Amino acid sequence: MVAALSLATDLGIAVPVEHGLHSTLFALRLGERLGIDAPTTMQTYYISLLFHVGCTATAQVGAELFGEDDALTTYATASRWGSRPQVMAGMARAVAPPSGGPLLRAVQLARGMPKLIREYPTVMATLCEVGRMLSASLGLPESVSGLFASIGERWDGKGEPGLVAGSDIPLAVRIAHVARDAAFQQLLGDQEYAARVIGQRAGAAFDPAVAGRLADDAAEILTVDHDGSVWQEILEREPAPQVMLEGAAVDRALEAVADFADLASPYLVGHSTGVARLVAAAAQRSGADTAEVATLRRAALVHDLGRGAVPTRIWHKQARLSADDWEQVRLHAYHSERVLSRSPFLAALTPVASFHHERLDGSGYHRGTNGGALPWPARLLAAADSYHAMTEPRPQRTAL
């Protein structure tokens, strides 16, 4: 479930799917070379997978501040762990992308940079708090969820909130910082480029011992088959004792997944859990047995996991959606299916969850399946999702 949430996070921050898995693999290889102990390995594994899990909580701010859908990732992420001038330059390009004309960029900078500077501490605090809450709800120990308090810190003390620095930052976080940045820099260049950037940031943003080891051993640490998948390897590398959930703990974890999906927009907060309550009650009234009710409720909790792949500006659009907007909205059901299908446990929910926008007459999406191919549980979830959405406010209308 944690690995699936990592895939969904990749969609939300506009990086290639499995970017988070690659980062985790790099972090584990780096930890092995540093000789870290078992508890630190466990912490490194989970904090690397969930490093950006809180990012959807600030998606609305990003949509208001940045000039393009993927501007934050394209321009700011590359310089996030650089020097202060590099960080400011990256943020400026995110607020006013180079693709715009001089006058447009001047207006964007004048309006956006003061707000960005003002909002940045709150954004970072939100990312940390949401990451902590979600990881705790997923059943991870406090030794993991507590790491999010220092996720924005830097070795030189110039991070956010700036409360710890140097070796006071947990070692697992210091390793995740280096591995995550190395994975992203490798997207921009190659292993040599990534190693050079990490080496330049040693002693500033990064622990020099950790960054130095990655820079020295980059050829071994950063090697990955980009044409294949590391999903199975990541699952097999989960440190012992593995976190196993049962009964109510499973439902709490799925509720955390629902909360993650609904953070894509303030208009959506509580949607998935609301649909889950509604469809469970409807299933009971329809005579479904206990197992069927549980499956429907769980499918409802995860049905919108792919929402993060759709730019937040679309969920906030008050005007009529364009053809391109609609294509992206239609694909969120597809992305939900692709993420859920990776996990054997979550895949069992896919035949219901991924059909929540299909319609009996074939006019739905993403398959355009008609009534004969729609099982009863999927029909019930589609009705519950549609009904609940009508009772919620949207940018273009009040709640019905």
Side-chain angles (χ1 to χ4, degrees), residues 204-225:
F206 301 143
D207 179 339
V210 176
R213 179 54 61 92
L214 184 135
D216 291 341
D217 297 344
E220 293 79 25
I221 294 174
L222 302 182
T223 296
V224 65
D225 179 8

Side-chain angles (χ1 to χ4, degrees), residues 152-165:
E153 302 287 11
R154 292 169 51 114
W155 178 264
D156 58 12
K158 297 178 181 179
E160 287 289 342
L163 300 178
V164 293

Side-chain angles (χ1 to χ4, degrees), residues 373-394:
L374 290 174
W376 170 79
R379 299 182 190 197
L380 197 60
L381 177 57
D385 178 58
S386 181
Y387 176 91
H388 201 277
M390 293 178 192
T391 68
E392 299 167 317
R394 291 292 183 263

Side-chain angles (χ1 to χ4, degrees), residues 326-377:
W326 264 116
E327 281 305 306
Q328 296 194 62
V329 168
R330 289 165 64 92
L331 283 174
H332 86 270
Y334 166 79
H335 288 300
S336 294
E337 178 181 357
R338 295 306 304 155
V339 171
L340 294 172
S341 65
R342 293 290 195 98
S343 162
F345 173 76
L346 296 176
L349 304 175
T350 301
V352 178
S354 66
F355 282 84
H356 67 283
H357 279 298
E358 302 294 348
R359 297 293 181 261
L360 293 180
D361 61 2
S363 64
Y365 56 87
H366 62 288
R367 294 183 184 85
T369 306
N370 60 28
L374 290 174
W376 170 79

Side-chain angles (χ1 to χ4, degrees), residues 66 71-72 74-80 82-98 105 109 113 116:
F66 303 124
L72 182 62
T74 302
Y75 302 111
T77 303
S79 60
R80 177 182 176 183
S83 64
R84 184 58 61 88
Q86 289 173 335
V87 172
M88 293 303 295
M91 288 296 185
R93 285 192 292 271
V95 170
R105 295 189 69 226
L109 285 171
M113 286 303 290
L116 176 60

Side-chain angles (χ1 to χ4, degrees), residues 101-151:
L103 180 58
L104 174 61
R105 295 189 69 226
V107 172
Q108 289 173 325
L109 285 171
R111 291 177 177 176
M113 286 303 290
K115 183 175 181 179
L116 176 60
I117 294 170
R118 184 172 62 252
E119 296 279 354
Y120 188 71
T122 302
V123 167
M124 291 303 301
T126 301
L127 296 179
C128 295
E129 180 60 17
V130 171
R132 184 193 66 77
M133 291 191 300
L134 288 178
S135 58
S137 297
L138 288 167
L140 298 178
E142 172 60 28
S143 61
V144 172
S145 58
L147 296 174
F148 282 92
S150 53
I151 205 77

